[in-house]
Each structure stands twice: as C-alpha cells, then as structure tokens.
Amino acid sequence: MTQTSVERPSQADVVARVDRLLAEHLGAPSEEFWGAQFDLGLAWIHFPEGKGGLGIDPGYQEIVDERLIAANAPQNLLRNMMGVGMAGPTLVAFGTEEQQLRLLRPDFTCEEIWCQMFSEPGAGSDVASLSTSAVRDGDEWIVNGQKVWTSMAHVARWGLLLVRTDPDVPKHRGLTYFYIDMHQPGVEVRPLRQMTGEAEFNEIFFTDARIPDSQRIGAVGDGWNVAIATLMNERVMLGRVGKLIGSEGGVVRHAFRVWNERPEAARDPVLRDRLVGLYVESEIMRLTMLRAEQQRSGGTPGPEGSLGRLMVSEHQQRCFEFIVNLLGPEGMLISDYEMRRPEIIGEIALGADDKVDLQKGFLSTIGGTIGGGTTEISRNILGERILGLPKEPDPGRDLPWSQVPRN
C-alpha cells in the first residue's frame, strides 16, 4: 500500500490566509486579531498546525510579517517580547504537548505576558555559573535564590526560569529549566530604577517557591541545552525588533525628523554625511536579517542571530548619539525623572511615535549593548561558532560546580 504524503501549504496559500486575516479581523481589538492570526497558522509559521503554525519553512514568516506591517496591523512582539520571541519557540522545541496546548495561544495573544530569568548578581555573562537552586520534593521543586535584570517581570504572568538542581556536576550539566507563575507565593518582584527614572527591569527573590514538576521544560539536568535555544531565539527576536525600527521608522526616522527641523543654514555637510551613513547602516541591518531568516532551515536558529542583535544595539546607540548632538544644548535636558514601570519594553528607546522623549531614548539605548548578552559575548559567539575560533579558557568548566571558586 502506497502512503501518500500530506501536501504542505504553498506561498499562495500563505498569502491567501494573510488576506483572509486582514479582511476579517483588521480593525478588531488586538487580542482578537492575534488570536485569529494564531488560529490561521500565521503566528509562528514553522510551528506545527494547531499550535500557531503550518509546519512549513520559517522563511515564509517574512511574507506574513511584511504584509501585516504594510497593512498597519497590530504587532505583538514589542508587547510580549519574551513570550513571542523566546517562550513560544522554547516551548515548541522542548515543551510537552500539554504545555504547548495550554500556553502558546495566550502567549501570542498577549493575554499572558512572559519574562525570562537567567542572569543573577554573580552570574551574568557566565550564566552557567548561576546558584539559584531547586530541590526536588515529591512532584514539586522548591526554589531559593535571586535573579536580576528581569525585563517586565512586574507585568508578567509566567517566567522562564533556569536553576541549579545538581551542584556536584560541572556547571553546564547541573541545570534544569522551568516556567513559574510570577504571582505565586515565594516570588517577590522588586523594581530596578534606570537612569531614565523608569524601571523596565526588576530583581526577583525566590523564597521556598514551589514549582510542580509538570512545569519543567526538558529533562532534569538538560537545562543548559534548553537555555541555549532560548538565547538563540532571543537574538533572532532582537533582530526582528531591528526590522520593526528599520529605515522606514523608529530610530532612523527620528534622526531624519530632527534633521529636517533644523534651519537650512545649520545642516552641516559633515552631519549630513553621518545621517546618510546611518540610513545605509539601517538598510544593511535590515537586509542582513532578511538573509539570516531565509537561510534558517527550521525550528532552532543558529548563531547568526547574534549578528543581528549586535547590529541593532550598536545602531540604536549611534542613532541616538547623532540625534542628541543635533539637539545641541537641548540634548542635555531630560523631561522628568519620575519613577514609572512601563507595560511595553523599550517603548522609549524603540521610538513608537513622533512624541518620543529623545533624551530618554538616548539614555535607554546605552544599556542596549549589555542586555540580552553583552556585545563582547555576541562577538565571542560569532568568533567561536561562525569563524571557528577557539573558546576562551575556562579552568572551572569541567569541575563540579560546588568546587568552583565564586564571589
């Protein structure tokens, strides 16, 4: 008996689904639009059918994204960056069927916001050295420790959590990955105030917080492999953010706006040359990310995402530095220093509208080369995984974690 293969949707099918989505749901509340996008398989197009995708090449996602952006459809990536960009891909790669069916749709519709908790006060660039512990107690795990620099934890329902479950093996092998309810007992979220006055970031304290084993993602002790997939998706996600703030808008748009507001006599040819250079840079960044996406063959991305993340963060800094220089003495003024806890990450630095606070945007982007892995770490990844350079020496890499000296 000959088994017939299932015919996968074609490019024409994808376009037809996007047209249907726009015809039937454009103008509806954002959550309703995103729900319809998920149900049509246009959320993460390479995910399995019924889980926000169509099971086809991720390159088709570019078709979806471009048509939705052109139609001015609502975008959820900035609303739920950790959920859409990191939790979803991690769950579909390592999560159970029950986890995927329960969590993917409300993640994409932004009904449930996510945060990501890897970094600790003593484990930033070297995440594998973390000390937050989880001890098994029957069908539960008891978590104690601290995480830091956690974006948007104050509005998150769920948190991706990497903890140490075995201190007597080398640091990379004793980690396990969970997701945790950010509102449950034993989880305390404290704001970290930035130089803008706002507190996008938080520090998290766990005191005998209990997690059911059903909220474990991946095998016990395999947390590092799951975390690597999350981090690779984070860098791809930051590259996608770069496309949203490309030459037609965002940071470059503000640079051109401020330039056009200057008197003709003040438009210095040297500054004009820098502005054109920033525009060219933004186009290179956008096209490089397009190429990286088209080269991805499926599910888990490679280190190319680090290139996009590196380009985006440094490009934002250069653009805002140029803008502040154009403003002259006004660039030294800040509108206020009120303590706020925003509901959308990066809404100042990403330039959501023409009334963006440019001075605060400048201050916000200073940290862009630290968050999500420092630029030095990104360059190490590019050197090791793309150029084939040797890894940096790590004397404690093969020692049991409990025997490695720590601060």
Side-chain angles (χ1 to χ4, degrees):
M1 181 177 179
T2 302
Q3 184 177 4
T4 58
S5 61
V6 177
E7 186 175 346
R8 293 181 179 271
S10 65
Q11 178 172 332
D13 296 325
V14 172
V15 171
R17 287 172 183 253
V18 176
D19 289 342
R20 176 183 168 189
L21 173 66
L22 294 173
E24 297 179 1
H25 299 282
L26 187 62
S30 296
E31 290 77 8
E32 179 184 324
F33 183 90
W34 294 325
Q37 183 178 350
F38 181 95
D39 296 339
L40 285 167
L42 303 174
W44 300 276
I45 208 160
H46 59 289
F47 283 18
E49 291 190 56
K51 298 176 182 177
L54 298 172
I56 59 178
D57 191 286
Y60 285 106
Q61 190 69 50
E62 182 62 28
I63 299 173
V64 177
D65 292 346
E66 286 186 350
R67 292 177 70 86
L68 294 184
I69 291 173
N72 200 29
Q75 299 290 323
N76 59 2
L77 185 58
L78 301 184
R79 177 83 65 84
N80 191 13
M81 287 174 68
M82 270 59 73
V84 176
M86 298 161 64
T90 301
L91 286 166
V92 88
F94 294 95
T96 65
E97 181 79 4
E98 291 75 16
Q99 290 171 349
Q100 294 169 9
L101 294 176
R102 161 64 185 84
L103 298 168
L104 286 174
R105 195 177 192 277
D107 171 4
F108 193 78
T109 61
C110 300
E111 294 170 84
E112 294 179 346
I113 303 297
W114 287 72
C115 65
Q116 174 247 349
M117 295 175 286
F118 288 4
S119 296
E120 298 183 5
S125 296
D126 184 12
V127 172
S129 65
L130 62 83
S131 61
T132 295
S133 66
V135 178
R136 189 151 195 170
D137 181 23
D139 291 333
E140 294 183 321
W141 297 80
I142 303 174
V143 179
N144 285 281
Q146 179 188 358
K147 298 292 181 178
V148 74
W149 308 122
T150 306
S151 302
M152 310 309 289
H154 56 286
V155 296
R157 166 66 194 281
W158 301 109
L160 299 169
L161 178 65
L162 188 64
V163 294
R164 186 162 305 281
T165 51
D166 188 348
D168 297 321
V169 297
K171 59 185 180 181
H172 292 87
R173 299 211 304 265
L175 303 173
T176 304
Y177 199 116
F178 297 89
Y179 69 94
I180 188 172
D181 187 341
M182 298 300 293
H183 300 160
Q184 72 173 58
V187 179
E188 181 185 1
V189 179
R190 300 181 188 173
L192 287 173
R193 196 176 187 190
Q194 300 150 244
M195 68 176 82
T196 61
E198 297 195 343
E200 289 180 341
F201 303 113
N202 305 269
E203 53 185 343
I204 319 298
F205 294 87
F206 300 98
T207 306
D208 293 333
R210 289 182 171 268
I211 307 177
D213 188 59
S214 60
Q215 291 178 203
R216 172 168 47 85
I217 303 176
V220 175
D222 196 39
W224 181 249
N225 288 328
V226 184
I228 286 294
T230 301
L231 292 173
M232 291 298 100
N233 279 292
E234 178 182 35
R235 286 156 187 148
V236 169
M237 176 265 295
L238 291 172
R240 289 185 64 197
V241 170
K243 288 196 303 179
L244 291 176
I245 60 171
S247 60
E248 294 300 323
V251 177
V252 171
R253 171 166 60 94
H254 294 310
F256 274 97
R257 176 170 60 83
V258 175
W259 172 265
N260 290 328
E261 290 173 353
R262 289 170 62 88
E264 183 67 33
R267 297 179 187 176
D268 186 281
V270 175
L271 291 176
R272 179 184 287 108
D273 184 68
R274 287 186 59 194
L275 178 60
V276 172
L278 291 172
Y279 171 80
V280 172
E281 186 177 284
S282 72
E283 281 296 287
I284 292 172
M285 180 177 70
R286 182 179 66 85
L287 295 172
T288 299
M289 292 312 301
L290 282 177
R291 184 179 65 181
E293 285 188 6
Q294 291 169 355
Q295 289 177 340
R296 290 169 57 206
S297 58
T300 303
E304 294 83 2
S306 293
L307 179 60
R309 182 257 168 216
L310 184 64
M311 294 171 69
V312 168
S313 59
E314 294 188 343
H315 173 72
Q316 286 185 359
Q317 289 183 348
R318 284 190 284 269
C319 282
F320 268 108
E321 180 184 4
F322 176 81
I323 289 170
V324 169
N325 285 338
L326 282 182
L327 292 174
E330 183 184 346
M332 295 185 290
L333 301 177
I334 190 169
S335 57
D336 63 69
Y337 194 61
E338 294 297 320
M339 168 65 166
R340 298 187 181 92
R341 306 184 79 180
E343 296 188 0
I344 300 177
I345 187 171
E347 58 186 332
I348 289 178
L350 296 176
D353 55 61
D354 290 340
K355 296 181 180 179
V356 65
D357 190 318
L358 297 171
Q359 290 87 342
K360 284 192 175 184
F362 169 74
L363 295 175
S364 294
T365 57
I366 290 175
T369 48
I370 301 174
T374 65
T375 54
E376 290 79 8
I377 293 297
S378 293
R379 286 186 166 89
N380 279 352
I381 291 172
L382 293 171
E384 293 171 8
R385 301 190 185 183
I386 294 181
L387 301 179
L389 299 177
K391 290 181 177 293
E392 288 190 346
D394 184 357
R397 185 178 184 87
D398 297 321
L399 290 175
W401 177 84
S402 58
Q403 298 178 19
V404 177
R406 291 180 298 282
N407 294 331

